[in-house]
Amino acid sequence: MAGADLYWESSWAAEDPAQFPACQEAWSRSCGDIAGLFRAHGVETVCDGACGFGAYTLALAAKGFSVSAFDISPTAAELTRQGLARLGLAAEVKTASLLDTGYPDGRFDAAVAASVLDHLTEADAQRALAELRRIVKPGGLLLVSFDTPEEEDVSLEHEVLPDGSFLYTQATDRAGMLFRPCGRPERTALLEGLETLWERTTAGGKHLSIHRIPAPRS
């Protein structure tokens, strides 16, 4: 584990585990609109990619979906397992990368990539999206979300990479973290070829959208 992957493991390991139960329980009662749209399109199996502390994993498992989840951070994966156990929910959780999930082709009806594609370089975000499309059945759904840059994101000392990504320096508490601001042009380019079914921007500036993955042309 190196670079940004090491940052995420160190970041999750430094968190106070006591803060997560309340967040996980609140999330387990959320996502009603998303769950409704998933059901309307026949979704039963969902993969939560880069699951973090398990927000979407718990929310979707609580609503009856069969969920598998993974994160590059072993600590994040364990936090998700603990949240599931605490709420009496079940899901398969493992440690894996968005660039190589280890799942077979077409394993899921839908996948989630929340606030993660904008923490990859442009090239890796494209690779990650290709991997998510591979593990979702043709005609399946993909939920993605992107964070709107805040003042601190821009003001903290960072190096700007050729693709516009910010790589935070050792002088900050984000040392090793990568963030690529994705406005509408960047999102549109990344998600080209996917049909947009639903989108919204939260009060906090997070942009969420659900897309249909096209079936191969015959």
Side-chain angles (χ1 to χ4, degrees), residues 1-122:
M1 186 178 292
D5 296 345
L6 181 59
Y7 166 80
W8 289 113
E9 170 59 13
S10 299
S11 178
W12 285 113
E15 295 284 355
D16 178 5
Q19 70 178 303
F20 292 112
C23 295
Q24 289 171 327
E25 290 172 18
W27 267 94
S28 73
R29 297 187 295 270
S30 67
C31 299
D33 290 350
I34 293 167
L37 196 147
F38 276 8
R39 287 197 186 96
H41 286 81
V43 170
E44 296 180 357
T45 56
V46 184
C47 179
D48 185 8
C51 60
F53 68 85
Y56 281 97
T57 302
L58 272 65
L60 293 170
K63 287 176 170 50
F65 294 94
S66 175
V67 183
S68 297
F70 68 88
D71 199 281
I72 195 66
S73 162
T75 298
E78 182 57 27
L79 288 169
T80 298
R81 292 189 193 97
Q82 291 172 4
L84 288 162
R86 188 166 46 249
L87 296 178
L89 300 171
E92 296 179 356
V93 184
K94 68 177 184 176
T95 301
S97 166
L98 267 175
L99 305 182
D100 183 13
T101 65
Y103 296 115
D105 293 358
R107 167 69 175 79
F108 303 100
D109 299 322
V112 175
S115 299
V116 61
L117 295 175
D118 46 359
H119 287 289
L120 300 171
T121 63
E122 181 179 9

Side-chain angles (χ1 to χ4, degrees), residues 99 116-132 146 180 182 190:
L99 305 182
V116 61
L117 295 175
D118 46 359
H119 287 289
L120 300 171
T121 63
E122 181 179 9
D124 278 351
Q126 291 171 345
R127 289 176 59 199
L129 187 64
E131 176 69 354
L132 292 170
F146 299 86
R180 187 168 70 94
C182 289
L190 178 62

